[in-house]
Amino acid sequence: MYKELAVALGLGAVVALVFLKKRKRVLKAQDGWWGVGACPQGPEDDSIRPFKVETTSEEIEDLHHRLDQTRSFPSLEDSQFHYGFNSRYLEKVVSYWRNDFNWRKQVDKLNKYPHFKTRIEGIDIHYVHVKPKNLAEGTHAVPLMMVHGWPGSFYEFYGIIPLLTEPSSPDDITFEVICPSIPGYGFSEAPRKKGFDTVCAAHIFNKLMKRLGFNQYYVQGGDWGSVITTNMAQLDPKAVKGLHINFAPPGQAGLFVMLSILFGRRFPKLFGFTEHDVKRLFPTIEKLVVDTLRESGYMHIQSTKPDTVGRGLNDSPVGLASYILEKFSTWTDPEFKNLEDGGLERKYSLDDLLTNVMIYWTSRCIISSMRFYKETFGKGLNQPHAKLPVYVPTGVASFPNEVVHSPKLWVTQKYHKLKTYTPMARGGHFAAMEEPQLLAEDVQNFVKIVEKRKKK
């Protein structure tokens, strides 16, 4: 008996040691040099410079000339958005862009918040930094970095920033919000060397927060932003106090995930599946394979030969707009494919949609933004960060029309300190832009729980 007990205790100790060792693992990243040429000797210039979005008459005239020269091509009858962006509606968008859209006015809107640039690892990093104006005496703002994805930009957060920095309720947390542009997106400089993936971006953004004087902070993201902020938590779990994401694609399929796929439709309660989970996941072949293939053609292109298509989009504003705005249609609501106008103006204004397109157009960043897919996926799907759990407190806002749905069971396989998992009432992929109020409320709820201002 004693022998068996000793063996059991010994095995238990081994398992415990392995488990604890695994818990202590953090993601590793080395400093890089992404600028032109070799890394210079000496310390890096860590100055922070004010930045202002600007435009010129020449820039606007060039845009108008290209819009005037566009060659239209008719869509098939009764095709709506099933073949991509509908040509008839595209003509309306182009007409509005050419004749009614006021880029100078939108530039002023972009500049309503303070912009900055600072050089990190050889490239200029652009970010918007908004501090609360009326902070109550004796209180402090909670630093929060919010990271966008593709084909979005820092502008996605303009509707949610005031909700977080100037909350209406005295019981709410007041945030100090930092919204960077991913390197190669918007006004952040593009890497000049191969290999810049989500982990590299996360390493730079952790450096940015340290440079701004924050030892601990929260991070939030969707799309690529969710991967980058997850990597930030994996790289520096002591600095990232909490992680909130509104996009949680499934990681490596472990035993529980595979069992839930095989038996979840028949025994949903066994895996904690809701009616919405079942609707989004089954039948498996149609929902997880066919639908994914139908909507991921862009990803295959951008993960293999981004520069080829990118050159065409860089030259044609109409091509760029159709390529980007088609995603704002289908990723907001898959049923919008059945509408001739793609449902775009049901959720957004043309001014906001075209402002996001103009950030890509004026900064000429479409090619470098597309390369981000090749750099990340080109390294394979079995990278260290894909296998490493996240032990930072995590909150997930699960929007019903998100491109990829992950039920709570799947999320917990990677995020081991899941504090909140919220099935949202409505909304899709571009949550911060589409449903800023809902997202702000969920961020508030999550941070209050982590800060122990509210019970779970």
Side-chain angles (χ1 to χ4, degrees), residues 73-80 83-89 91:
F73 192 84
S75 290
L76 294 172
E77 294 178 6
D78 197 33
S79 62
Q80 291 85 38
Y83 285 70
F85 207 106
N86 184 276
S87 290
R88 185 176 299 176
Y89 181 64
E91 290 177 9

Side-chain angles (χ1 to χ4, degrees), residues 283-296:
T284 305
I285 297 299
E286 179 184 340
K287 296 299 176 71
L288 299 185
V289 179
V290 176
D291 284 354
T292 300
L293 288 174
R294 186 181 292 122
E295 293 300 329
S296 60

Side-chain angles (χ1 to χ4, degrees), residues 44-49 117-119 124 127 211:
E44 185 173 58
D45 176 13
D46 61 359
S47 63
I48 294 173
R49 315 180 305 276
K117 283 189 177 185
T118 189
R119 185 163 286 261
D124 276 346
Y127 62 97
R211 186 169 294 183

Side-chain angles (χ1 to χ4, degrees), residues 17 39 69 75 137-138 140 219 242 315 352 376-377 383 420 427 431 435:
L17 286 171
C39 178
Q69 297 300 311
S75 290
E137 188 175 348
H140 67 280
V219 292
D315 275 351
D352 284 339
T376 298
F377 292 131
Q383 294 301 300
T420 62
E435 297 289 349

Side-chain angles (χ1 to χ4, degrees), residues 142-145 164 172-173 175 217-221 233 240-245 390-397 415 417-422 438-456:
V142 173
L144 171 68
M145 174 178 278
L164 296 172
D172 280 345
I173 291 172
F175 292 92
Y217 42 88
Y218 288 84
V219 292
Q220 198 284 328
V240 177
K241 198 171 184 182
L243 163 69
H244 185 281
I245 53 178
V390 177
Y391 296 106
V392 164
T394 304
V396 174
Y415 300 94
K417 285 191 177 181
L418 189 68
K419 296 294 185 180
T420 62
Y421 178 93
T422 313
L438 289 182
L439 185 60
E441 289 172 0
D442 201 64
V443 170
Q444 282 280 354
N445 180 60
F446 165 68
V447 176
K448 285 177 183 177
I449 289 172
V450 178
E451 293 284 319
K452 296 188 167 87
R453 297 196 196 182
K454 180 179 180 180
K455 291 183 179 180
K456 187 174 179 181

Side-chain angles (χ1 to χ4, degrees), residues 60 62-73 81 85-103 316-326 340-341 344-345 349-351 353-355 357-358 361:
I60 296 173
D62 175 71
L63 171 68
H64 287 172
H65 173 72
R66 293 171 188 261
L67 293 175
D68 289 338
Q69 297 300 311
T70 189
R71 300 189 301 173
S72 62
F73 192 84
F81 263 57
F85 207 106
N86 184 276
S87 290
R88 185 176 299 176
Y89 181 64
L90 183 59
E91 290 177 9
K92 176 187 174 181
V93 173
V94 172
S95 175
Y96 182 85
W97 197 0
R98 175 63 177 85
N99 301 307
D100 300 295
F101 179 74
N102 188 332
W103 176 230
S316 169
V318 176
L320 180 68
S322 62
Y323 195 73
I324 288 177
L325 296 186
E326 183 253 316
E340 189 170 284
D341 65 356
L344 281 168
E345 293 177 77
S349 71
L350 283 181
D351 280 343
L353 290 171
L354 290 172
T355 296
V357 172
M358 286 294 289
W361 176 255

Side-chain angles (χ1 to χ4, degrees), residues 187-386:
F187 304 115
S188 278
E189 188 177 353
R192 304 304 181 94
K193 293 175 172 58
K194 296 185 291 184
F196 190 91
D197 61 5
T198 60
V199 176
C200 299
H203 186 53
I204 280 180
F205 286 167
N206 275 332
K207 281 188 170 184
L208 173 61
M209 292 301 278
K210 299 292 196 310
R211 186 169 294 183
L212 294 176
F214 302 118
N215 293 319
Q216 283 195 313
Y217 42 88
Y218 288 84
V219 292
Q220 198 284 328
D223 194 83
W224 277 129
S226 73
V227 184
I228 292 170
T229 52
T230 293
N231 293 161
M232 291 173 73
Q234 292 169 318
L235 285 167
D236 199 346
K238 291 183 179 179
V240 177
K241 198 171 184 182
L243 163 69
H244 185 281
I245 53 178
N246 54 278
F247 181 64
Q252 294 187 330
L255 177 61
F256 288 116
V257 172
M258 294 305 299
L259 288 173
S260 70
I261 291 174
L262 290 172
F263 303 109
R265 190 177 191 181
R266 189 176 180 88
F267 307 103
K269 291 183 180 179
L270 184 63
F271 302 98
F273 283 178
T274 64
E275 289 185 13
H276 183 70
D277 292 331
V278 173
K279 178 183 175 182
R280 289 297 308 271
L281 300 178
F282 304 102
T284 305
I285 297 299
E286 179 184 340
K287 296 299 176 71
L288 299 185
V289 179
V290 176
D291 284 354
T292 300
L293 288 174
R294 186 181 292 122
E295 293 300 329
S296 60
Y298 79 99
M299 186 184 297
H300 296 289
I301 292 172
Q302 294 175 193
S303 299
T304 53
K305 303 290 181 65
D307 287 26
T308 305
V309 172
R311 271 307 293 264
L313 301 177
N314 190 57
D315 275 351
S316 169
V318 176
L320 180 68
S322 62
Y323 195 73
I324 288 177
L325 296 186
E326 183 253 316
K327 302 308 178 193
F328 275 84
S329 167
T330 308
W331 293 357
T332 296
D333 189 330
E335 295 301 316
F336 284 174
K337 292 193 301 291
N338 301 318
L339 304 174
E340 189 170 284
D341 65 356
L344 281 168
E345 293 177 77
R346 295 188 179 193
K347 293 289 187 174
Y348 314 102
S349 71
L350 283 181
D351 280 343
D352 284 339
L353 290 171
L354 290 172
T355 296
N356 182 67
V357 172
M358 286 294 289
I359 290 171
Y360 278 81
W361 176 255
T362 57
S363 65
R364 306 183 185 189
C365 74
I366 186 61
I367 297 175
S368 52
S369 74
M370 292 164 68
R371 285 175 183 163
F372 201 54
Y373 285 78
K374 183 173 179 65
E375 302 295 13
T376 298
F377 292 131
K379 294 180 179 179
L381 302 178
N382 201 33
Q383 294 301 300
H385 71 89

